């Protein structure tokens, strides 16, 4: 059920978003805000022990509202949702926006815990967080690593997931698939994955993580004219002491160059079969996504519940919730009504 959101409508909706956001979030002083910088901010972050982590997260909306967890990707952070959260909070949702392991104020509880970036481990953090917050069931919405995490939770623990919004569709993979060669053009798009497979790549990412992330932002969203203030606000989250270890392990695991942990073996076996997602889902794609992604027709059959796909036009790239916040927020509201 394809749907296209046109540019004019997107501009009108974006204006609505910023009006609501301005009413709910404090503005930076005019002297502190460079031209073109977004003024939206989250309130004071919260911390909670959840599973292996002490998770840092932003929260907005009524405590008794329908729970919604927004999941960011790499190399991004919770500010991808800074203009989405107030819209959904105004709609009555209890909005939870956590830093993934290795980002921001999220920390491992033990120095002895393996810094594991394999997808099953990252996804397992979500039900652990929900348990800590006494949330039985939530809508999950995300992009990049966050979309993959939402896919995995919906596939493995559908009883915890009311519905999902997934940018770029079905992203569950496995190590065996990761070993298969792709056509040269497709391999080129994954250049950083191969860079991270080397020790030089690990050291280079550690040394230049901010420059590296900015380059990825530019390549993945070639038409998004973000300013330095917007990037720097998110880049601060990459200073997490576990960030490099988590990122490098994630990409090396995908290529079968790093092992995971035995505790996740059963989960990975289930994921290796490409399980169908049964909960209601809306998938989104930007018309100018510069990151590797499939055509929506390639994954439509992976969703057996009520399903719709929307392509968001107007030069929208990979960081869809930050580039088209109203379209993302509307998808959450609509999938909740499915």
């Amino acid at each position: 059920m394809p749907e296209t959101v046109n540019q004019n409508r997107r501009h009108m909706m974006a204006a609505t978003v910023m009006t609501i956001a301005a009413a709910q979030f404090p503005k930076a002083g005019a002297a502190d805000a460079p031209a073109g910088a977004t003024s939206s901010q989250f309130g004071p972050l919260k911390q909670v022990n959840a599973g292996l982590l002490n998770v840092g997260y932003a929260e907005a909306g009524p405590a008794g509202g329908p729970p919604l967890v927004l999941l960011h990707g790499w190399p991004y952070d919770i500010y991808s949702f800074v203009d989405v959260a107030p819209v959904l909070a105004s709609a009555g949702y209890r909005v939870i926006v956590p830093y993934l392991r290795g980002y921001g104020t999220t920390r491992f509880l033990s120095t002895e815990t393996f810094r594991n970036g394999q997808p099953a481990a990252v996804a397992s953090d979500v039900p652990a967080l929900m348990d800590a917050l006494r949330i039985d069931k939530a809508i999950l919405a995300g992009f990049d690593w966050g979309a993959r995490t939402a896919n995995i939770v919906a596939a493995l623990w559908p009883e915890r997931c009311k519905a999902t919004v997934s940018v770029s569709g079905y992203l569950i993979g496995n190590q065996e698939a990761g070993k298969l060669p792709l056509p040269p053009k497709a391999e080129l798009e994954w250049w950083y994955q191969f860079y991270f497979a080397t020790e030089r790549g690990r050291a280079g990412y550690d040394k230049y993580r901010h420059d590296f992330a900015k380059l990825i932002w530019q390549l993945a969203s070639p038409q998004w004219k973000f300013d330095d203030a917007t990037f720097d606000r998110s880049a601060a989250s990459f200073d997490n002491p576990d960030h490099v270890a988590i990122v490098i392990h994630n990409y090396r695991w995908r290529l079968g160059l790093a092992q995971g942990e035995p505790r996740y073996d059963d989960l990975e076996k289930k994921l290796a079969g490409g399980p169908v997602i049964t909960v209601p889902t809306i998938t989104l794609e930007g018309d100018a996504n510069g990151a590797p992604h499939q055509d929506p027709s390639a994954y439509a059959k992976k969703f057996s519940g009520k399903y719709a796909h929307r392509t968001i036009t107007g030069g929208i790239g990979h960081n869809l919730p930050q580039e088209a916040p109203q379209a993302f927020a509307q998808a959450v509201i609509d999938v909740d009504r499915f």
Side-chain angles (χ1 to χ4, degrees):
M1 182 179 175
E3 181 176 338
T4 299
V5 179
N6 64 41
Q7 173 75 337
N8 290 336
R9 183 183 175 196
R10 186 177 71 83
H11 281 310
M12 289 188 291
M13 292 190 295
T16 302
V17 171
M18 296 312 296
T19 299
I20 297 173
Q24 294 207 6
F25 291 98
K27 289 187 176 182
D32 301 324
T38 180
S39 60
S40 300
Q41 297 287 339
F42 286 114
L45 297 183
K46 300 181 179 182
Q47 299 287 144
V48 65
N49 288 346
L52 301 174
L53 305 170
N54 178 260
V55 178
Y57 66 101
E59 182 169 358
L68 165 66
V69 182
L70 302 177
L71 299 163
H72 69 81
W74 171 85
Y76 305 94
D77 80 331
I78 63 174
Y79 281 97
S80 290
F81 301 103
V82 72
D83 294 323
V84 171
V87 177
L88 294 170
S90 293
Y93 291 93
R94 180 188 179 188
V95 184
I96 308 294
V97 194
Y99 280 113
L100 300 185
R101 55 169 65 192
Y103 294 80
T105 60
T106 292
R107 297 290 188 275
F108 284 88
L109 293 173
S110 172
T111 58
E112 303 300 317
T113 303
F114 176 53
R115 273 38 179 177
N116 188 346
Q118 75 182 104
V122 176
S124 294
D125 294 338
V126 173
L129 175 62
M130 291 170 62
D131 289 344
L133 298 178
R134 298 184 179 181
I135 295 173
D136 292 328
K137 197 169 190 175
I139 298 171
L140 305 181
F143 72 106
D144 197 84
W145 287 25
R148 178 175 297 106
T149 295
N151 290 169
I152 292 173
V153 174
L156 296 179
W157 304 288
E159 72 280 0
R160 306 301 301 271
C161 185
K162 182 179 181 182
T164 69
V165 172
S166 179
V167 176
S168 297
Y170 185 90
L171 298 177
I172 296 175
N174 60 78
Q175 285 184 316
E176 291 305 311
K179 295 176 183 178
L180 299 176
L182 300 173
K185 184 178 179 180
E187 296 283 26
L188 179 63
E189 293 180 328
W190 287 108
W191 64 271
Y192 54 86
Q193 184 172 236
F194 302 110
Y195 180 64
F196 289 161
T198 69
E199 180 54 27
R200 175 172 172 166
R202 187 208 63 77
Y205 185 60
D206 192 11
K207 182 176 181 179
Y208 299 109
R209 66 183 80 174
H210 288 200
D211 292 342
F212 200 103
K214 181 174 281 190
L215 175 61
I216 296 297
W217 280 34
Q218 293 165 341
L219 294 174
S221 298
Q223 297 185 44
W224 182 32
K225 305 304 180 184
F226 61 88
D227 57 26
D228 288 342
T230 298
F231 174 77
D232 291 343
R233 183 178 59 182
S234 288
S237 71
F238 312 146
D239 293 332
N240 182 297
D242 301 309
H243 178 74
V244 173
I246 294 296
V247 171
I248 296 299
H249 183 261
N250 177 279
Y251 285 103
R252 289 183 179 179
W253 182 92
R254 294 194 205 183
L255 294 175
L257 301 176
Q259 295 302 309
E261 293 179 273
R263 72 170 78 186
Y264 302 111
D265 285 352
D266 288 342
L267 299 181
E268 294 294 358
K269 288 178 182 177
K270 294 177 182 178
L271 296 174
V276 171
I277 293 173
T278 59
V279 305
T281 295
I282 291 176
T283 57
L284 300 174
E285 189 60 81
D287 67 335
N289 184 3
H293 63 281
Q294 291 184 306
D295 185 272
S297 62
Y299 51 71
K301 292 183 179 179
K302 284 295 186 179
F303 300 95
S304 65
K306 189 169 182 180
Y307 171 72
H309 174 78
R310 298 174 181 176
T311 296
I312 313 304
T313 63
I316 303 303
H318 190 59
N319 186 3
L320 194 148
Q322 196 163 4
E323 298 176 60
Q326 182 63 40
F328 190 91
Q330 190 62 54
V332 171
I333 292 169
D334 290 346
V335 81
D336 189 23
R337 295 170 177 164
F338 273 12

